[in-house]
Amino acid sequence: MNGPKIIVEPPGPNSRKIAEKDSALLMQSFARWYPLVAKRAHGVWVEDVDGNVYLDFNSGIGVTNTGHCHPKVVKAIKEQAERLLHYSLTDFLYEEPVKLAEKLVSITPGRFPKKVFYTNSGTESIEAAIKTARGHFRGTRPYIIAFAGSFHGRTYGSLSLTSSKPVQRRHLGPLLPGVFHAPYPYCYRCPFRQKYPECNLWCVDFIEEWMLKKYVPPEEVAAFVVEPIAGEGGYIVPPPEFFKRLRELADKYGILLVVDEVQSGFGRTGKWFAIEHFGVEPDIIAVAKGIASGLPLGAIIGRAEVMDLPPGSHASTFGGNPVSCAAALATIEVIEEEKLLDNATRVGEYAMKRLRELQEEIPYIGDVRGKGLMIGVELIARDGSPNPKLLQKTLEIAFKKGLLVIGAGVSTIRIAPPLIITQQEMETGLRILEESLREALKEV
Ligand SMILES: Cc1ncc(COP(=O)(O)O)c(C=O)c1O
């Protein structure tokens, strides 16, 4: 396909009918940007129930990194589904999760022995990471330090770390005790109102000088839990030395470094895992989303000596489901065979260059940032403050023109297409995005 095909203004009549039923029957606790009702999808294209075809800049929120319904992934799912659908890993064994674990320990950073624990989603991976870190210290280190502005999921443990929007927590407390937050290193809007690099990474020194020396006894901290690139919080890339400094701090006090690669992993940033951009080896990596191209699966992969919860202390009926594992093995093969890391780097660099050129022309683009195909474009008002109205309008117009793109943080456009996207398809999407932004500027 050359571009989107809009035959009836979205949302069309079939979409509206389903949206009405959806709002009558489903709890509306999610915040949707516009009513896309997806029917089928292939590669980078998504068709709705009215026959409109859209270009996908979302990948079903960072999941379909190999493109929608990649034939190799679909074949692996079908073959596995005919062989063995389920037989719980908590009480029995089967081969697929072992084969996948062999792969996972080889593609994750760190040349040390590792072990894997399987979950079904991102939030469960964070729960597993919290329990593993705390459990490893056998009750002597109950505290966790997370970063304000992050997103780690919505179950009670992960929600206690999540801190990118008040609505995520409102009326839902009390949360897990023993969680402290340091500000996320968001240089464009530095929480300490400093400038990089003159700040000399005060955001890391703050943790030591204020938190660990004043109110969080370091010998009682089990882990730092941090996103290498903040996803829901606004596609924020920390400064280059941030993770080296955090790793040093962790080592100094015997604290584990847990990175949440749920959104940034599986090639999204042009490397298998975003933390590789920072040259740091974490103790535990939490993954989900892109691991199985759309089937529910998550995992934590950690240093073998840390992954030592005793038998009976943690398990999951569905975690490591054989069909999901088969999909994950095929996903990894596709990323390798089709050189999707290189493609993400190449097309991502092209997109960043185009967006930075656009930033020169449009003063309402405050910041363009990202790695590979995880790109944020922060929209601002005249006075430099965030501009959520402009964001919402731009996304709605883009939807009507056939581009599926959503926001992150307060007013950042989040660009995360499948990693198979070509430069030409990226160009098509960016052209629609530019037109939408220019039209939105006339309306808000
Ligand atoms: C960084 C990060 N961690 C955890 C999660 C939670 O994942 P899930 O929705 O699969 O529970 C998300 C979801 O967006 C995420 O972006």
Side-chain angles (χ1 to χ4, degrees):
M1 287 203 54
N2 294 330
K5 188 179 78 175
I6 298 299
I7 54 178
V8 44
E9 180 173 332
N14 297 334
S15 297
R16 285 203 301 273
K17 234 182 268 164
I18 293 172
E20 260 169 43
K21 283 196 179 177
D22 176 290
S23 69
L25 291 166
L26 307 193
M27 180 164 83
Q28 300 292 298
S29 58
F30 6 74
R32 291 158 172 158
W33 298 88
Y34 42 76
L36 168 79
V37 184
K39 179 171 182 180
R40 58 169 75 93
H42 285 284
V44 295
W45 304 103
V46 179
E47 185 179 328
D48 75 8
V49 288
D50 292 287
N52 292 319
V53 180
Y54 306 81
L55 178 57
D56 185 9
F57 264 19
N58 295 317
S59 308
I61 317 306
V63 171
T64 55
N65 290 4
T66 55
H68 293 276
C69 297
H70 192 291
K72 193 158 187 169
V73 177
V74 172
K75 184 165 175 272
I77 292 170
K78 281 183 176 163
E79 284 175 3
Q80 183 59 46
E82 282 171 3
R83 214 167 34 239
L84 179 71
L85 270 183
H86 171 76
Y87 213 88
S88 192
L89 199 55
T90 60
D91 286 271
F92 307 97
L93 292 89
Y94 43 88
E95 193 181 9
E96 292 72 20
V98 179
K99 272 168 110 176
L100 178 59
E102 264 175 345
K103 257 312 196 193
L104 291 174
V105 300
S106 76
I107 62 171
T108 41
R111 276 147 288 137
F112 38 75
K114 292 175 216 148
K115 284 191 168 179
V116 176
F117 176 85
Y118 290 110
T119 72
N120 309 285
S121 63
T123 196
E124 285 174 77
S125 296
I126 298 301
E127 299 294 331
I130 296 171
K131 284 178 75 173
T132 302
R134 279 180 160 180
H136 172 65
F137 293 110
R138 303 293 184 259
T140 61
R141 288 179 176 252
Y143 298 140
I144 303 284
I145 296 181
F147 289 80
S150 304
F151 186 89
H152 295 288
R154 295 177 183 276
T155 50
Y156 269 100
S158 67
L159 178 62
S160 308
L161 312 186
T162 288
S163 49
S164 57
K165 289 183 185 137
V167 67
Q168 295 152 347
R169 294 165 157 239
R170 189 167 288 129
H171 311 315
L172 301 176
L175 305 180
L176 190 70
V179 176
F180 297 90
H181 286 86
Y184 196 85
Y186 182 8
C187 296
Y188 181 65
R189 295 188 187 282
C190 174
F192 298 105
R193 305 230 189 285
Q194 301 226 13
K195 279 262 165 295
Y196 175 81
E198 295 84 59
C199 63
N200 197 22
L201 274 87
W202 170 243
C203 47
V204 181
D205 290 339
F206 171 85
I207 299 172
E208 184 169 31
E209 296 305 320
W210 284 84
M211 299 179 75
L212 300 183
K213 289 194 180 164
K214 298 207 187 302
Y215 58 97
V216 191
E219 72 283 4
E220 292 182 21
V221 179
F224 292 118
V225 181
V226 59
E227 290 172 273
I229 296 179
E232 305 298 308
Y235 275 32
I236 300 162
V237 185
E241 316 88 324
F242 176 78
F243 285 102
K244 279 216 170 97
R245 295 276 302 275
L246 192 65
R247 176 79 263 185
E248 282 165 17
L249 196 60
D251 290 344
K252 183 168 169 188
Y253 293 103
I255 298 169
L256 300 177
L257 180 62
V258 177
V259 294
D260 178 347
E261 294 264 10
V262 168
Q263 189 153 169
S264 56
F266 287 92
R268 171 63 39 212
T269 67
K271 295 196 185 282
W272 278 109
F273 298 96
I275 194 67
E276 295 172 65
H277 290 283
F278 300 92
V280 159
E281 293 176 349
D283 300 298
I284 296 177
I285 300 181
V287 297
K289 283 192 187 281
I291 185 173
S293 294
L295 259 59
L297 184 68
I300 56 170
I301 304 107
R303 275 181 196 277
E305 77 244 33
V306 170
M307 300 282 286
D308 62 353
L309 286 181
S313 58
H314 198 44
S316 157
T317 298
F318 290 120
N321 169 274
V323 184
S324 297
C325 286
L329 280 161
T331 297
I332 294 171
E333 258 175 55
V334 169
I335 294 175
E336 281 170 344
E337 282 170 10
E338 298 187 13
K339 301 197 176 4
L340 297 186
L341 304 184
D342 293 345
N343 194 57
T345 304
R346 207 170 35 245
V347 181
E349 277 168 7
Y350 168 76
M352 293 275 282
K353 179 173 162 287
R354 284 277 289 99
L355 287 161
R356 291 208 162 116
E357 284 163 10
L358 201 60
Q359 187 185 13
E360 299 284 304
E361 287 174 37
I362 303 181
Y364 297 88
I365 298 180
D367 194 25
V368 175
R369 54 190 177 238
K371 297 266 182 212
L373 289 170
M374 186 169 188
I375 300 173
V377 180
E378 183 159 340
L379 301 181
I380 55 171
R382 264 179 201 285
D383 62 359
S385 61
N387 198 338
K389 276 196 184 136
L390 180 60
L391 173 68
Q392 179 65 42
K393 196 79 219 163
T394 303
L395 304 181
E396 280 168 15
I397 297 173
F399 171 54
K400 290 193 188 301
K401 289 177 182 287
L403 178 70
L404 300 176
V405 60
I406 65 164
V410 181
S411 67
T412 296
I413 300 172
R414 137 176 25 192
I415 299 177
L419 309 183
I420 56 163
I421 194 168
T422 63
Q423 182 167 318
Q424 201 190 346
E425 288 159 348
M426 174 57 81
E427 175 56 37
T428 302
L430 293 179
R431 187 179 38 74
I432 298 173
L433 194 60
E434 176 182 350
E435 283 167 20
S436 306
L437 177 57
R438 289 189 191 280
E439 284 177 34
L441 277 167
K442 289 185 201 140
E443 292 186 38
V444 297

